[in-house]
Amino acid sequence: MDGDPMRGGLPGGPDTAVTQPGAEPHPAGTPKAVWIVWALLGLNTLGSAGAKTIVTLPRSLIQMATMGALIAAFTLALVLNLQLRIRAGAFVFLLTLLLVPSVISSVHLEVGPGALFRCTRLALFVGTLWLLSRWWDGSLTFVRHHIRMYFAALGSVAVGLAISPGTAMPEYYGGRLVGALWPLTPPQIGQYAAVITGLTVLLLLGRRTTGASAALVIVPTLVLLAMTHTRTATLGLLIGLVLAIGSLILTSTAARRFFAWAVLCATVAAVAFASALQAWFMRGQSKENFSNLTGRAKVWDALLAEPRTTGEKVFGTGLGDKSFGGLPIDNSWLAVYNEQGLLGVALVAAIIVVLGGVALLRPPSLPRACAIFLISYVAISSYTEAGLGDASPYLLHLALAASLLAAPAAATPLTTPALPRQHLPRWTRDRR
């Protein structure tokens, strides 16, 4: 993006960061290949199941591509960090602990041998985050990588829409936008659009990008978000931005001005386009269908009513495809309970609570606001979307939040070597 005062590195090693009081921390010596690692992690979390594409892609081929991306990400991260320098943090530590119930429940193979494959995938994902933690210093470097990565994914959606509008907006999804080149579902597209829109708005408020660059990202992504009719992503975007901008109101004139104009425009739009907004939000559903969350509540009730042993309650039944009885669970907490048990639910809750607590304790800043937006968005989406217990975009969003909340590495102070004590002859000391 343009107008980035943080481009370029500072003298010193990769673990050194130089800051001034009240200034934003600057990345020092972050290799450009780190962006490739982050992009490969994003590719791995795109998934292999979804809409029908223009050219039929075998699911096995997609799975090979996504798993290959993860292996490549781990290998490249290891090459970049051969010294295995890491920054210990609660987020990656809790993710590592999440592997315990995942492995314990998966070795019984109740959900098939794929459970162990998913455990291996989660282990490689967490291991790559450990290796990348070396460059987590509270700067906006990974925010820009995040925006570029998902903007490229949305670019493929836009290209598919231009090539084959019928495939990109199929009837079996109610005319909602899907990925016609890569099998992306409407909730996935809505999630990517909402996240990069929110982050770009915050960069604009913090004067870390120009208005033209921000408009180039925000305008098309909002159009794609509207075409997906994704209510969860829209609410997550709005509530996340309110909380993030609210954290900047006391210290940023631009944030106060934007918040005032946003409230005014939202009020006018709610009055002038109330019927159109209601129709978009309802998506042609009946009130009964809307009240049970498009059938999700029935799946949730059946999952909770399922008899379980004590071991299954504590450790779950093993990592699966986030479904129950052949239907998607679409709730992160119930999916974790089903696959990783109450222990997994406690660890995932600890991740959200710890990140949120650290964000509240940090002084107001743009990185803190971006972290608050990401944590809020993930927490809201967890109610109707699954993914917090496995390698997913949601864990990648939280990893980005953890990198923004990491304290910058202290610069090593320059010390003057002590001069050797001069030896004086004894006869000289006796004269004194």
Side-chain angles (χ1 to χ4, degrees):
M1 291 204 173
D2 299 332
D4 181 4
M6 296 177 59
R7 289 189 183 276
L10 296 175
D15 292 321
T16 304
V18 180
T19 60
Q20 296 177 355
E24 182 185 314
H26 292 251
T30 303
K32 293 183 178 180
V34 168
W35 146 242
I36 301 177
V37 177
W38 198 257
L40 289 171
L41 287 178
L43 175 59
N44 173 255
T45 60
L46 289 182
S48 58
K52 297 179 181 178
T53 54
I54 298 174
V55 177
T56 303
L57 300 174
R59 187 175 181 183
S60 58
L61 178 62
I62 298 176
Q63 289 176 331
M64 288 177 58
T66 55
M67 192 60 189
L70 179 58
I71 296 174
F74 179 79
T75 304
L76 181 55
L78 187 60
V79 170
L80 294 173
N81 193 2
L82 287 176
Q83 298 85 1
L84 298 182
R85 297 179 182 177
I86 60 176
R87 298 195 64 180
F91 172 72
V92 285
F93 177 71
L94 290 171
L95 270 186
T96 306
L97 289 181
L98 189 61
L99 286 169
V100 175
S102 303
V103 174
I104 291 176
S105 60
S106 297
V107 292
H108 298 293
L109 300 179
E110 291 185 23
V111 294
L116 293 178
F117 173 82
R118 294 183 179 92
C119 284
T120 304
R121 176 173 175 250
L122 179 59
L124 286 175
F125 185 86
V126 175
T128 305
L129 293 181
W130 272 113
L131 294 171
L132 290 180
S133 67
R134 173 182 181 176
W135 295 285
W136 292 0
D137 56 4
S139 69
L140 297 172
T141 302
F142 284 89
V143 172
R144 302 185 185 283
H145 295 342
H146 213 63
I147 293 174
R148 294 187 187 108
M149 173 178 68
Y150 285 124
F151 189 70
L154 292 179
S156 70
V157 174
V159 172
L161 176 62
I163 295 176
S164 179
T167 306
M169 302 186 72
E171 288 298 327
Y172 59 85
Y173 266 115
R176 301 169 65 190
L177 180 65
V178 301
L181 298 181
W182 187 278
L184 298 176
T185 62
Q188 283 180 284
I189 299 172
Q191 175 196 164
Y192 305 155
V195 168
I196 68 174
T197 297
L199 292 176
T200 305
V201 168
L202 293 174
L203 288 182
L204 180 62
L205 291 179
R207 298 179 181 178
R208 295 299 186 269
T209 187
T210 63
S213 297
L216 185 63
V217 173
I218 294 173
V219 173
T221 53
L222 283 180
V223 172
L224 295 180
L225 174 59
M227 295 178 71
T228 63
H229 286 258
T230 307
R231 296 175 293 219
T232 301
T234 305
L235 289 176
L237 170 63
L238 296 177
I239 297 174
L241 275 180
V242 168
L243 296 176
I245 296 174
S247 70
L248 294 172
I249 283 181
L250 296 179
T251 58
S252 172
T253 304
R256 291 192 293 269
R257 187 182 304 114
F258 180 88
F259 189 80
W261 276 106
V263 171
L264 177 61
C265 293
T267 303
V268 173
V271 173
F273 305 102
S275 58
L277 291 174
Q278 183 179 5
W280 181 90
F281 198 78
M282 293 297 294
R283 292 198 316 232
Q285 297 175 338
S286 63
K287 292 184 179 181
E288 180 182 358
N289 197 18
F290 178 76
S291 63
N292 62 28
L293 298 174
T294 321
R296 290 184 177 97
K298 296 179 181 179
V299 180
W300 299 348
D301 293 339
L303 186 149
L304 292 173
E306 177 76 5
R308 297 173 186 270
T309 64
T310 302
E312 289 174 342
K313 289 180 180 179
V314 176
F315 299 108
T317 59
L319 292 184
D321 58 358
K322 312 299 176 288
S323 67
F324 180 80
L327 297 174
I329 297 175
D330 285 341
N331 180 288
S332 284
W333 304 102
L334 292 180
V336 171
Y337 170 68
N338 185 54
E339 297 182 355
Q340 291 139 312
L342 293 174
L343 181 57
V345 172
L347 290 172
V348 171
I351 290 174
I352 300 291
V353 171
V354 168
L355 287 177
V358 172
L360 292 177
L361 294 176
R362 288 283 188 269
S365 66
L366 181 57
R368 174 186 182 240
C370 291
I372 290 175
F373 168 75
L374 291 166
I375 298 168
S376 305
Y377 181 87
V378 170
I380 294 168
S381 300
S382 66
Y383 185 66
T384 58
E385 297 292 336
L388 282 181
D390 206 346
S392 68
Y394 295 106
L395 286 189
L396 207 55
H397 300 332
L398 293 180
L400 176 58
S403 75
L404 291 166
L405 296 173
T412 305
L414 298 176
T415 58
T416 304
L419 295 176
R421 186 175 181 181
Q422 186 177 4
H423 177 73
L424 297 176
R426 180 175 296 179
W427 65 268
T428 305
R429 296 198 298 269
D430 292 341
R431 283 188 173 185
R432 294 182 178 181

